[in-house]
Amino acid sequence: MIGHYRESFAGLPVCDFTTADTGADADDLPPAESVAWRIATNWDDTRPFTEQWTAFLDTVAADRVRAVLIGCWWSDDYTDVRPVLDALIASADRLPALRGLFLADVMSEQCELSWLRMDDVTPLLEAYPRLEEFVVRGCGSGDLAFQPLRHERLRVLRFESGGLPGEIVRAVGASELPRLEHLALWLGVEQYGGDATVADLAPVLSGARFPALTHLGLQDSEIQDEIAAAVASAPVVAQLASLDLSMGTLGDTGAEALLTGQPLTHLRRLDLHHHYLSDAMMRRVCDALEPSGVEVNVSEQEEPDVWDDGDDGEEEEYRYVAVSE
């Protein structure tokens, strides 16, 4: 569940652009480059998002805008995102300073993640060759797509999904992103399209694809133990300053693999929040890493649901990721 808007993005505080700002004197608004602008329609808006977008470009000093967040693009019934993407692509020449783009800063009360249908987002990166931070939130079982590409400037890439398809993970791994420092993939569950395997992650884990990478997040996965085992011997770990395996179904098996694998004491931060570790394993992880200065997050300890399958009387445990539907 995603229950709040972002308050900052791309190092800037978020400022909402509303219909009330249309026609406003530039002196009444913050300097265009000083905030990250969120553009969205409200439930009572009569104008389509594309008109809101045009009004935004005509009201602020568009050539100085550094960051944009796209919120709801519908006011009543959900509408396709394609016209939004087309408007962004067509506006690229008016936004030469844009460095951060967040697609679908939408809360769950507005639209559940599994209903937030996307499209091929590759043309956005192609249209903005100077973009440094790109975040996509949306359903992986719909039309979300990403093609391998080369981008010279991108430093942050994040996919937030309740189910990220393996084909997208493979496309990320096949891309040439020489300046990429921060990669986060919410892998999700198979029910919502999250069919990525550890094998799909191999190019990322090899450490050869992204030489500048210092943060890796492989999060929200129902195969978190398998991922942890792969990370435990992955060459990429040696170059990282922070590692995020949070939000998934990590249990003692995965944590044991991390502790018995390659050293992690060079990390500044290890994030495991929302996990299924035992109390004893939580203490082991912290005792092994915190004395070396690693900030370890083992908050949000979860308890698995236990169900009786009714056939042979045996009980079965079920673990849940933090964000799926």
Side-chain angles (χ1 to χ4, degrees):
M1 179 178 291
I2 300 170
H4 56 84
Y5 284 129
R6 292 188 64 89
E7 296 181 357
S8 64
F9 176 61
L12 298 169
V14 172
C15 178
D16 286 289
F17 179 86
T18 68
T19 52
D21 294 322
T22 304
D25 189 287
D27 293 338
D28 296 332
L29 298 174
E33 69 277 11
S34 68
V35 298
W37 295 93
R38 179 165 45 230
I39 300 91
T41 57
N42 298 315
W43 66 271
D44 58 348
D45 279 327
T46 58
R47 297 188 307 172
F49 177 90
T50 51
E51 289 188 22
Q52 288 271 60
W53 177 250
T54 300
F56 165 71
L57 295 177
D58 290 342
T59 301
V60 306
D63 61 334
R64 299 208 305 268
V65 170
R66 294 187 58 81
V68 165
L69 304 92
I70 303 300
C72 291
W73 53 86
W74 65 95
S75 56
D76 188 6
D77 294 331
Y78 186 87
T79 59
D80 188 76
V81 73
R82 187 71 249 171
V84 178
L85 304 186
D86 290 343
L88 286 166
I89 293 167
S91 306
D93 61 338
R94 298 189 63 181
L95 295 162
L98 191 69
R99 298 294 181 266
L101 178 59
F102 191 124
L103 184 58
D105 184 24
V106 175
M107 295 188 293
S108 56
E109 66 181 40
Q110 298 168 313
C111 182
E112 295 289 357
L113 189 60
S114 59
W115 305 343
L116 193 60
R117 302 182 70 86
M118 283 287 112
D119 205 309
D120 190 346
V121 297
T122 318
L124 284 171
L125 283 172
E126 294 171 337
Y128 291 92
R130 294 184 178 89
L131 203 65
E132 297 179 358
E133 183 165 353
F134 186 49
V135 182
V136 179
R137 177 181 291 169
C139 176
S141 58
D143 298 317
L144 176 63
F146 182 75
Q147 310 301 325
L149 84 168
R150 181 176 179 88
H151 196 288
E152 300 291 346
R153 298 289 188 88
L154 198 66
R155 295 188 301 105
V156 178
L157 176 62
R158 194 162 77 247
F159 281 95
E160 299 183 355
S161 176
L164 196 63
E167 60 185 350
I168 292 181
V169 174
R170 293 192 294 273
V172 171
S175 294
E176 296 182 46
L177 307 171
R179 295 192 182 183
L180 191 69
E181 300 172 4
H182 179 118
L183 175 63
L185 305 174
W186 293 14
L187 298 166
V189 300
E190 188 170 6
Q191 179 182 356
Y192 293 111
D195 60 359
T197 65
V198 170
D200 294 327
L201 293 166
V204 174
L205 296 177
S206 74
R209 297 301 304 176
F210 310 125
L213 196 70
T214 57
H215 172 88
L216 177 61
L218 302 174
Q219 304 162 246
D220 198 50
S221 176
E222 61 184 348
I223 60 167
Q224 204 76 58
D225 279 344
E226 294 178 42
I227 291 171
V231 166
S233 60
V236 72
V237 173
Q239 71 189 60
L240 300 179
S242 57
L243 174 64
D244 193 336
L245 302 177
S246 66
M247 301 172 58
T249 61
L250 184 71
D252 284 5
T253 300
E256 182 71 32
L258 289 174
L259 291 177
T260 57
Q262 63 186 304
L264 301 176
T265 51
H266 67 287
L267 295 175
R268 290 200 296 266
R269 180 175 173 82
L270 175 65
D271 192 344
L272 305 178
H273 83 269
H274 183 96
H275 59 82
Y276 292 83
L277 304 185
S278 64
D279 291 343
M281 182 58 74
M282 289 169 59
R283 287 193 296 271
R284 282 187 60 195
V285 172
C286 292
D287 289 346
L289 298 176
E290 288 181 339
S292 299
V294 183
E295 179 186 347
V296 180
N297 184 352
V298 287
S299 63
E300 299 182 39
Q301 182 186 32
E302 305 290 330
E303 292 289 338
D305 286 349
V306 180
W307 293 356
D308 187 338
D309 63 16
D311 294 330
D312 53 13
E314 292 188 4
E315 294 181 334
E316 189 169 355
E317 287 190 354
Y318 290 85
R319 300 177 184 178
Y320 300 93
V321 301
V323 179
S324 56
E325 185 180 5

